[in-house]
């Protein structure tokens, strides 16, 4: 090696320099044991000095271009080990002339090998700090911006190099001041760069503790990007039937921290592995301050850390397992940045463009991380509470139910933070969120946060103002939303009765063509439940005779069958003995001194066929599950008419148990036609407070609406019931 060192330091021709550099490169590749000696002899620095000389003279004499290429190839091979000493020797001098020349090759001649060398150099944290001082960050931003705006080829290596600079706070500051954040957002908005979006989101996630950076990102549209990402995830995976069995730790693509642990490390970059990073560690007492950059939380711990993004107790980014990986395994990984540096300059790595399922999950992870940070902002963020953002979150929550419960929990927390922020209350109210949330599995949990905000003094005042002075559509939406948001009865009375909210709800109930008609139906039912309007147990379907004549029933007719002829000409046969045993009226009729006792065929007037048949079935102890609600109710009246008190109770109980969303309207109409006022009220209260789904509630109300000229009477009864309870509050 010493003769080679002498040759590299001597003044000779370009061809000799090239041969010497190729020899050094081959020795480095073949004999690993001698690398340490080569580093101590500063051979890397000598090659870098020749590179600087060749780069400066290449514009005058083209033969130096070959020497420059030979130096670049050797420098790439040296850097493959990610040894920080190799990167430091490439400084050349205190002005970092080597780095500046390398950057000029990247920008002026677009030299692929120079770009590859710069990219590998950026993977060494110690070198990134020096590169930042030499102005590399600003030049990268300018080059990427020019390539994007001019629609020319955007180098993946240059873009990923800029992403690597986000890992130190001092370089993040340079990126922020150099308009790099705007470049990131611009690239995220362009579908042609979609295969780079994961890296861009990962880089931006490192700004979650930078309030100034977050303000810049918000101003330039990062929220729209994140919402689009969520919508894209839902669209792609809505039909996915199987849940991935991969461990969540596999989803985090964080190859930056995969570096050899045998080199000395310092504390100014988040890429270093060290077992005493925690400020509370006994071994960290010598350090008076924590690292300048809080490390990115591991993917598997994201759920637990999401609520505490301001935690100042930093932990290592790399796990023991990650840091113990062999270099060969790391270079063989299709996701590793190191694998990119081991290939020839004119080849293209397909792994950079591939989108695996784990990358998709990582993209969701970083998207939710940034959204979570935005939702924690004390200042209102424009468009965070818009319908597009809220809808994408709710859709994602519903999708994540079938996919990843961990990510779903994070999305639910973000959603709750937004709806629990009083600043966003009115925008959320005006988009009808309280009704949209009914499709969420976590509806009750989420609605409770919205109710907490609604019942504060400020929100109540806003609701009052809208009811009094708001625009017509806003008034109506507010009126139907109040019963779902307000649970305090005094406040309900004030908003609905004093400020006219109840009148607006009933106006919508009467207008089936209005777009808020269904919301009004749901609203009035929720209001009845809030006011605790329950059907009374002392309803009456018929006046039951309590004094039953005790008649001598000892002698029964030998004839066991009697035929009843009804008004419509139909006939029903029944057992005379059973009728006489259960009813004193039938006993007197069939066994007494009346004319009917001698007849086998008896005419019954004003008696419904279904009601009589149901009554006869009840006397024979037959189950009545398949009987219609009308026939049961008619049977109650007949049981009362024929003095059968035991059957009245049985039939009444069967009638009430039979009430559901399919027959509320029919039962109410029957009660109206037979002047059973108490049972009418019972039917309406049951309709208002029954646990029915949205579709069942709408269908039941539609049945009442199509009843004809009695719908107004139905609405009046509801209004009277609600008003009476409100007046008692």
């Amino acid at each position: 090696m010493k003769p080679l060192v002498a040759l590299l330091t001597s003044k000779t021709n370009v061809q000799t320099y090239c041969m010497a550099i190729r020899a050094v490169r081959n020795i480095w590749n073949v004999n690993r044991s001698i690398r340490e000696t080569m580093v101590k002899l500063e051979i890397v620095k000598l090659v870098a000095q020749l590179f600087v000389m060749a780069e400066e003279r290449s514009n005058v004499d083209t033969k130096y271009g070959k020497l420059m290429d030979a130096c670049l190839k050797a420098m790439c091979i040296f850097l493959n080990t990610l040894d920080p000493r190799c990167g430091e020797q490439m400084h050349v001098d205190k002005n970092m002339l080597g780095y500046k020349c390398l950057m000029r090759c990247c920008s002026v001649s677009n030299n692929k090998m120079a770009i590859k060398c710069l990219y590998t150099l950026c993977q060494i944290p110690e070198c990134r700090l020096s590169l930042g001082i030499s102005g590399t960050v600003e030049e990268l931003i300018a080059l990427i911006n020019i390539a994007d705006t001019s629609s020319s080829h955007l180098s993946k290596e240059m873009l990923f190099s800029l992403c690597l600079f986000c890992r130190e706070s001092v370089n993040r500051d340079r990126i922020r001041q150099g308009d790099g954040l705007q470049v990131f957002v611009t690239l995220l908005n362009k579908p042609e760069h979609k295969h780079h979006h994961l890296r861009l989101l990962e880089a931006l996630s490192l700004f979650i503790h930078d309030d100034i950076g977050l303000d810049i990102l918000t101003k330039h549209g990062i929220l729209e990007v994140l919402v689009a990402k969520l919508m894209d995830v839902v669209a792609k995976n809505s039909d996915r039937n199987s849940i991935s069995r991969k461990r969540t730790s596999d989803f985090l693509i964080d190859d930056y921290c995969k570096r050899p642990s045998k080199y000395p490390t310092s504390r100014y970059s988040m890429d270093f592995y060290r077992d005493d990073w925690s400020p509370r560690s006994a071994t960290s007492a010598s350090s008076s301050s924590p690292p300048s950059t809080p490390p990115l939380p591991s993917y598997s711990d994201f759920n637990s850390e999401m609520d505490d993004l301001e935690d100042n107790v930093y932990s290592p980014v790399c796990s023991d397992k990650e840091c113990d990986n062999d270099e060969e395994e790391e270079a063989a990984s299709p996701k590793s940045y190191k694998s990119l540096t081991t290939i020839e300059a004119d080849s293209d790595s397909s792994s950079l463009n591939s989108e695996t399922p784990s990358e998709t999950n990582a993209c969701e992870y970083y998207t939710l991380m940034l959204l979570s940070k935005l939702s924690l902002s004390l200042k209102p963020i424009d468009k965070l509470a818009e319908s597009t953002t809220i809808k994408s979150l709710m859709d994602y929550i519903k999708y994540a139910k079938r996919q990843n419960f961990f990510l779903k929990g994070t999305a639910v927390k973000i959603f709750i933070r937004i709806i629990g922020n009083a600043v966003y209350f009115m925008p959320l109210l005006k988009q009808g969120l309280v009704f949209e949330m009914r499709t969420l599995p976590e509806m009750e949990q989420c609605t409770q946060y919205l109710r907490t905000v609604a019942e504060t003094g400020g929100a109540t005042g806003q609701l009052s103002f809208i009811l009094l002075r708001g625009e017509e559509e806003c008034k109506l939406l507010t009126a139907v939303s109040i019963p779902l948001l307000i649970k305090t009865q005094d406040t309900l009375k004030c908003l609905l009765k004093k400020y006219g909210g109840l009148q607006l709800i009933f106006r919508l109930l009467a207008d089936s063509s209005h777009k808020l008609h269904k919301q009004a139906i749901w609203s009035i039912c929720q209001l009845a439940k809030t006011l605790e309007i329950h059907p009374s147990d002392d309803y009456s379907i018929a006046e039951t005779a309590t004094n039953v004549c005790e008649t001598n029933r000892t002698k029964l007719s030998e004839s066991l069958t009697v035929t009843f002829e009804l008004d419509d000409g139909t006939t029903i046969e029944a057992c005379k003995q059973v009728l006489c045993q259960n009813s004193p009226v039938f006993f007197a009729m069939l066994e007494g001194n009346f004319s009917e006792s001698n007849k086998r065929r008896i005419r019954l007037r004003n008696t419904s066929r279904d009601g009589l048949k149901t009554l006869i079935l009840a006397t024979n102890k037959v189950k009545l599950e398949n009987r219609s609600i009308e026939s049961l109710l008619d049977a109650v009246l007949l049981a009362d008419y024929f003095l059968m008190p035991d059957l009245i109770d049985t039939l009444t109980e069967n009638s009430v148990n039979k009430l559901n969303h399919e027959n509320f309207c029919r039962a109410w109409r029957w009660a109206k036609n037979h002047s059973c006022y108490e049972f009418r009220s019972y039917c309406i209260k049951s309709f208002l407070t029954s646990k029915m789904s949205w579709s069942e509630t709408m269908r039941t109300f539609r049945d009442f609406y199509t009843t004809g000229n009695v719908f107004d009477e139905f609405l009046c009864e509801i209004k009277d019931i609600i008003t009476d309870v409100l007046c008692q509050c």
Side-chain angles (χ1 to χ4, degrees):
M1 294 307 302
K2 290 182 179 179
L4 283 174
V5 170
L7 187 60
L8 292 173
T9 55
S10 65
K11 292 184 179 180
T12 184
N13 56 46
V14 171
Q15 289 78 8
T16 305
Y17 280 140
C18 289
M19 291 178 65
I21 292 171
R22 280 196 291 270
V24 169
R25 189 185 70 195
N26 290 334
I27 293 171
W28 181 280
N29 259 339
V30 174
N31 194 342
R32 294 192 177 190
S33 61
I34 205 171
R35 289 181 181 178
E36 189 69 22
T37 302
M38 296 175 73
V39 171
K40 289 180 180 179
L41 291 174
E42 294 190 337
I43 287 182
V44 178
K45 184 176 182 178
L46 295 177
V47 173
Q49 288 174 341
L50 289 175
F51 166 70
V52 171
M53 181 267 293
E55 193 274 335
E56 291 175 347
R57 297 183 183 181
S58 61
N59 295 328
V60 179
D61 193 343
T62 56
K63 67 181 180 181
Y64 285 97
K66 294 182 179 179
L67 177 59
M68 186 176 65
D69 290 340
C71 292
L72 284 172
K73 288 181 180 179
M75 289 162 64
C76 276
I77 295 300
F78 297 150
L79 291 172
N80 278 346
T81 60
L82 298 182
D83 187 341
R85 294 174 297 174
C86 294
E88 289 170 1
Q89 289 188 23
M90 289 182 189
H91 287 181
V92 175
D93 57 20
K94 63 180 181 180
N95 294 323
M96 301 178 192
L97 194 57
Y99 288 172
K100 292 179 181 178
C101 289
L102 182 63
M103 196 62 219
R104 281 201 298 271
C105 287
C106 295
S107 58
V108 177
S109 59
N110 196 24
N111 188 301
K112 289 185 178 181
M113 185 59 69
I115 294 173
K116 201 75 73 175
C117 186
L118 175 67
Y119 174 58
T120 311
L121 196 61
C122 288
Q123 295 178 56
I124 304 174
E126 294 88 344
C127 297
R128 287 204 297 270
L129 294 175
S130 301
L131 285 167
I133 295 172
S134 66
T136 303
V137 173
E138 292 80 2
E139 292 190 48
L140 277 175
I141 293 172
L143 288 174
I144 293 170
N145 197 23
I146 291 171
D148 181 57
T149 53
S150 62
S151 300
S152 59
H153 175 68
L154 178 62
S155 170
K156 294 183 287 291
E157 293 84 355
M158 294 181 73
L159 180 60
F160 291 171
S161 296
L162 184 61
C163 291
L164 285 166
F165 278 108
C166 295
R167 300 181 74 79
E168 292 82 34
S169 60
V170 63
N171 286 327
R172 286 200 299 274
D173 184 64
R174 293 188 178 98
I175 291 173
R176 188 179 65 234
Q177 294 185 11
D179 295 336
L181 293 177
Q182 291 89 314
V183 173
F184 279 134
V185 175
T186 300
L187 295 175
L188 283 168
N189 273 311
K190 295 189 175 181
E192 59 266 28
H193 302 306
K194 191 172 184 180
H195 48 288
H196 300 323
H197 284 185
L198 170 60
R199 304 297 180 189
L200 295 171
L201 287 171
E202 186 177 12
L204 289 182
S205 68
L206 298 169
F207 286 84
I208 59 173
H209 298 278
D210 184 352
D211 292 336
I212 299 175
L214 286 173
D215 288 341
I216 295 172
L217 288 171
T218 304
K219 180 180 178 181
H220 287 86
I222 188 61
L223 183 61
E224 290 87 337
V225 171
L226 300 177
V227 170
K229 284 295 175 188
L230 280 186
M231 295 172 67
D232 188 49
V233 169
V234 173
K236 279 185 177 181
N237 300 289
S238 58
D239 297 329
R240 187 184 298 173
N241 295 321
S242 61
I243 300 175
S244 175
R245 298 290 182 182
K246 276 197 172 185
R247 294 173 297 137
T248 53
S249 59
D250 293 337
F251 296 148
L252 177 59
I253 302 175
D254 193 8
D255 300 299
Y256 304 132
C257 59
K258 293 182 178 179
R259 62 187 305 278
S261 59
K262 62 183 178 181
Y263 301 117
T265 60
S266 53
R267 303 174 70 95
Y268 50 73
S269 177
M270 63 185 297
D271 285 334
F272 298 127
Y273 173 74
R274 190 158 177 169
D275 52 0
D276 64 339
W277 265 39
S278 173
R280 295 175 183 170
S281 172
T283 59
S284 66
S286 59
S287 176
S288 59
S289 61
S292 62
T293 302
L296 186 68
S298 67
Y299 185 80
S300 58
D301 294 335
F302 175 58
N303 197 30
S304 60
E305 295 294 332
M306 186 62 73
D307 286 333
D308 194 13
L309 292 175
E310 302 301 330
D311 188 6
N312 290 322
V313 181
Y314 308 128
S315 60
V317 175
C318 306
S319 66
D320 292 336
K321 182 178 178 182
E322 288 172 329
C323 291
D324 291 338
N325 285 343
D326 292 334
E327 293 180 26
E328 291 81 1
E329 293 177 358
E330 182 183 350
S333 171
K335 299 174 188 174
S336 175
Y337 284 113
K338 273 180 64 178
S339 64
L340 189 68
T341 65
T342 60
I343 59 177
E344 290 298 323
D346 56 353
S347 65
D348 187 19
S349 175
S350 60
S351 64
L352 290 175
N353 295 325
S354 62
E355 184 176 358
T356 62
S358 61
E359 288 183 346
T360 302
N361 282 271
C363 189
E364 294 176 43
Y365 160 68
Y366 292 119
T367 300
L368 291 172
M369 172 186 281
L370 287 164
L371 269 177
S372 180
K373 181 60 179 178
L374 293 178
S375 69
L376 286 168
S377 175
L378 298 177
K379 299 184 296 183
I381 295 179
D382 188 31
K383 298 182 180 180
L384 186 59
E386 281 193 354
S387 58
T388 306
T389 306
I390 298 301
K391 185 179 184 303
S392 65
L393 265 175
M394 290 196 297
D395 288 346
Y396 181 83
I397 291 170
K398 287 183 277 188
Y399 147 70
K401 178 183 178 183
R402 302 188 300 273
Q403 301 296 331
N404 194 319
F405 292 98
F406 153 66
L407 293 175
K408 174 189 174 180
T410 302
V412 170
K413 289 181 181 179
I414 297 170
F415 184 69
I416 286 175
R417 288 194 201 110
I418 295 174
I419 65 177
N421 192 332
V423 176
Y424 303 125
F425 175 71
M426 290 312 300
L428 295 173
L429 178 73
K430 291 178 180 179
Q431 60 186 261
L433 177 65
V434 68
F435 294 100
E436 296 296 330
M437 286 195 302
R438 62 184 173 80
T439 58
L440 287 178
E442 297 79 7
M443 180 193 69
E444 282 302 323
Q445 178 189 3
C446 296
T447 305
Q448 186 56 45
Y449 284 89
L450 202 58
R451 285 175 186 153
T452 302
V453 176
E455 294 190 337
T456 59
T460 303
Q462 289 177 313
L463 295 173
S464 303
F465 178 81
I466 292 175
L467 290 175
L468 291 174
R469 303 288 179 86
E471 297 180 359
E472 187 66 16
E473 287 301 314
C474 192
K475 274 186 180 182
L476 295 172
L477 181 57
T478 301
V480 296
S481 300
I482 286 172
L484 284 77
L485 295 174
I486 307 296
K487 293 298 180 183
T488 307
Q489 294 190 357
D490 290 340
T491 307
L492 274 176
K493 180 180 180 180
C494 180
L495 293 173
L496 296 180
K497 205 164 182 296
K498 182 178 179 181
Y499 297 125
L502 190 63
Q503 184 179 353
L504 296 174
I505 294 175
F506 276 95
R507 194 210 303 179
L508 291 172
L509 288 173
D511 184 4
S512 63
S513 61
H514 199 282
K515 63 181 181 180
L516 294 176
H517 176 68
K518 292 182 178 179
Q519 284 82 345
I521 298 171
W522 189 256
S523 176
I524 200 67
C525 292
Q526 299 307 307
L527 177 59
K529 293 172 184 174
T530 301
L531 296 176
E532 298 180 354
I533 298 174
H534 299 297
S536 176
D537 293 334
D538 57 352
Y539 55 84
S540 174
I541 297 177
E543 293 296 332
T544 305
T546 56
N547 297 321
V548 181
C549 298
E550 291 294 331
T551 311
N552 184 11
R553 306 181 187 179
T554 55
K555 185 178 179 180
L556 297 176
S557 173
E558 294 180 359
S559 177
L560 298 179
T561 304
V562 62
T563 302
F564 294 108
E565 183 179 339
L566 307 180
D567 293 337
D568 58 0
T570 59
T571 59
I572 294 179
E573 293 185 349
C575 177
K576 182 189 294 187
Q577 181 179 358
V578 173
L579 291 177
C580 292
Q581 287 177 345
N582 286 276
S583 169
V585 175
F586 278 121
F587 183 84
M589 179 191 300
L590 301 176
E591 298 294 338
N593 296 323
F594 297 99
S595 59
E596 291 86 351
S597 60
N598 297 321
K599 296 180 180 178
R600 297 287 301 276
R601 194 179 184 92
I602 300 174
R603 179 75 178 271
L604 287 181
R605 299 183 180 278
N606 302 321
T607 303
S608 71
R609 174 181 175 80
D610 289 340
L612 182 58
K613 190 172 182 179
T614 302
L615 180 67
I616 294 171
L617 290 173
T619 59
N620 288 279
K621 310 299 182 184
V622 177
K623 293 184 178 180
L624 306 173
E625 287 90 346
N626 297 324
R627 307 303 296 171
S628 66
I629 187 69
E630 291 88 351
S631 65
L632 288 168
L633 294 171
D634 284 340
V636 173
L637 293 184
L638 291 176
D640 177 65
Y641 181 76
F642 293 116
L643 302 181
M644 305 165 75
D646 294 338
L647 287 184
I648 290 177
D649 295 338
T650 301
L651 291 167
T652 300
E653 182 180 353
N654 276 272
S655 301
V656 173
N657 292 336
K658 187 79 173 180
L659 281 175
N660 57 38
H661 66 279
E662 295 179 345
N663 55 39
F664 277 129
C665 181
R666 288 156 44 202
W668 179 81
R669 286 203 308 264
W670 182 94
K672 179 182 181 302
N673 294 334
H674 291 82
S675 301
C676 296
Y677 300 107
E678 292 180 5
F679 189 64
R680 282 173 62 178
S681 177
Y682 183 91
C683 291
I684 290 179
K685 291 178 180 179
S686 297
F687 159 68
L688 292 174
T689 58
S690 291
K691 293 181 179 180
M692 296 187 291
S693 65
W694 172 275
S695 58
E696 290 171 346
T697 304
M698 298 306 120
R699 192 170 111 186
T700 303
F701 191 87
R702 188 66 184 172
D703 292 339
F704 282 105
Y705 188 81
T706 56
T707 302
N709 55 3
V710 296
F711 177 69
D712 292 338
E713 188 176 346
F714 164 71
L715 279 186
C716 286
E717 286 192 40
I718 294 180
K719 191 171 185 178
D720 290 342
I721 292 171
I722 298 291
T723 304
D724 287 344
V725 178
L726 278 176
C727 290
Q728 296 172 12
C729 292

